């Protein structure tokens, strides 16, 4: 288990103060906002919005919100200038990235199969994001969830050359293989010459954040939420504590 971030904060604050630039990557659901029963019911707390606005304006800070949600949703729920918004696990970040027609055809066929075969599992529902399919398990019993995940993997075997599954604690995302995940997105972004001396932070709560934790082997990775095995260096308890840490980070930049 990762130790609490607070135990090492004095050393981290000194790193922030001595760094020319700081990059902060933030997951959205479960990190910036509390998990809601439905994706459209989330709310960004005013205190979180205020500190994000301050950090977005700071000349030494690069701020990135990276999520499995579509980029347009992140803009709607956060929508602050000066922040980079990476949707679909980092693949969607402003420019148009076409997917092969074979992937889109496979997604349509997979959606039909999942609609038919997952309807027998109570409480499970599917969200069509056009470039991905999200199967939601929130509130579903562990037994039903295990059975549904096994069925999902079985149904997707015919599509494995074109699609793959990004597993999360309360959902599973079916995406084209070109969408590789948050770890690759973070590595690619930090490879920019302008960020060669940056001090990177990554805050995330889910299984899809683990590759990003691993990508930040020389940075500061923070697992948000209840204790569980993680590749992150540190842990904090929830979105309210994320906001508190961002306030402390902002103060260390003065």
């Amino acid at each position: 288990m990762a130790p609490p971030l607070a135990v090492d904060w004095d050393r981290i604050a000194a790193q922030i103060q001595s760094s020319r630039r700081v990059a902060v990557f933030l997951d959205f659901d479960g990190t910036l906002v509390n998990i809601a029963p439905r994706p459209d019911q989330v709310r960004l707390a005013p205190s979180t919005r205020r500190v994000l606005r301050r950090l977005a304006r700071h000349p030494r800070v690069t701020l990135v919100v990276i999520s499995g949600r579509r980029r347009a949703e992140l803009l709607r729920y956060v929508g602050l200038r000066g922040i980079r918004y990476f949707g679909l696990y980092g693949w969607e970040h402003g420019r148009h990235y076409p997917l092969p027609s074979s992937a889109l055809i496979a997604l349509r066929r997979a959606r039909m199969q999942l609609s038919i075969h997952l309807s027998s599992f109570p409480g499970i529902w599917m969200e069509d994001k056009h470039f991905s399919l999200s199967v939601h398990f929130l509130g579903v019993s562990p037994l039903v969830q295990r059975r549904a995940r096994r069925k999902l993997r079985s149904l997707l075997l015919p599509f494995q050359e074109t699609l793959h599954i990004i597993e999360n604690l309360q959902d599973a995302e079916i995406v084209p293989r070109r969408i590789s995940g948050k770890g690759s997105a973070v590595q690619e972004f930090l490879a920019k010459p302008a960020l060669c001396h940056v001090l990177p932070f990554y805050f995330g709560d889910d299984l899809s954040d683990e590759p990003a934790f691993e990508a930040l082997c020389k940075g500061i990775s923070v697992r948000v939420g209840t204790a569980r095995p993680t590749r992150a260096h540190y842990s904090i308890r929830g979105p309210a504590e994320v906001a508190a840490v961002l306030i402390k980070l902002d103060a260390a930049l003065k």
Side-chain angles (χ1 to χ4, degrees):
M1 303 295 178
L5 181 64
V7 303
D8 227 5
W9 181 255
D10 289 345
R11 182 185 63 82
I12 293 168
Q15 284 184 272
I16 295 168
Q17 290 163 3
S18 63
S19 296
R20 281 189 273 173
R21 190 158 195 86
V22 175
V24 182
F25 296 88
L26 295 151
D27 173 46
F28 185 68
D29 294 278
T31 299
L32 282 178
V33 298
N34 290 308
I35 299 292
R38 303 286 288 198
D40 60 354
Q41 294 174 341
V42 297
R43 177 177 175 272
L44 188 66
S47 59
T48 306
R49 183 175 295 279
R50 284 194 295 271
V51 70
L52 289 176
R53 182 180 287 111
R54 288 199 303 272
L55 288 171
R57 291 172 176 171
H58 200 288
R60 287 170 55 204
V61 175
T62 298
L63 199 56
V64 180
V65 176
I66 180 168
S67 171
R69 287 180 182 255
R70 295 296 304 269
R71 184 173 183 269
E73 286 186 87
L74 300 176
L75 288 166
R76 183 163 72 248
Y77 288 112
V78 184
L80 295 171
R81 295 188 179 209
I83 299 178
R84 292 170 169 85
Y85 297 93
F86 288 10
L88 288 179
Y89 303 93
W91 175 78
E92 189 181 39
H93 48 88
R95 290 173 292 173
H96 180 62
Y97 293 89
L99 289 169
S101 58
S102 58
L104 298 177
I105 292 169
L107 276 171
R108 286 198 296 270
R109 290 176 176 169
R111 182 179 64 238
M112 293 174 60
Q113 291 295 313
L114 298 180
S115 297
I116 294 168
H117 295 282
L118 293 183
S119 59
S120 60
F121 294 95
I124 290 173
W125 63 281
M126 184 170 60
E127 180 185 6
D128 187 345
K129 300 179 183 177
H130 186 66
F131 291 143
S132 72
L133 301 168
S134 187
V135 180
H136 292 271
F137 304 111
L138 185 64
V140 175
S141 73
L143 177 60
V144 171
Q145 186 173 155
R146 286 194 296 271
R147 289 175 175 171
R149 287 184 189 269
R150 284 198 298 269
K151 185 66 174 179
L152 176 61
R153 288 191 285 268
S154 173
L155 290 170
L156 289 175
L157 282 175
F159 306 100
Q160 61 186 335
E161 291 186 4
T162 313
L163 308 176
H164 71 118
I165 303 174
I166 295 177
E167 298 279 3
N168 283 308
L169 294 169
Q170 299 294 346
D171 67 82
E173 194 95 18
I174 298 94
V175 298
R177 288 202 168 272
R178 188 165 292 184
I179 300 175
S180 54
K182 294 180 178 181
S184 299
V186 167
Q187 283 182 320
E188 182 181 341
F189 187 74
L190 291 177
K192 297 176 183 291
L195 297 174
C196 61
H197 297 296
V198 75
L199 173 64
F201 286 77
Y202 189 102
F203 295 81
D205 75 306
D206 221 330
L207 300 179
S208 58
D209 296 302
E210 293 294 329
F213 295 153
E214 192 170 24
L216 254 68
C217 57
K218 295 182 180 180
I220 296 162
S221 52
V222 185
R223 159 80 165 92
V224 182
T226 55
R228 65 168 175 80
T230 181
R231 297 171 188 163
H233 300 127
Y234 300 101
S235 63
I236 56 179
R237 287 171 295 186
E241 199 163 325
V242 172
V245 170
L246 294 178
I247 291 169
K248 291 168 68 176
L249 192 155
D250 181 51
L253 287 161
K254 304 299 186 192

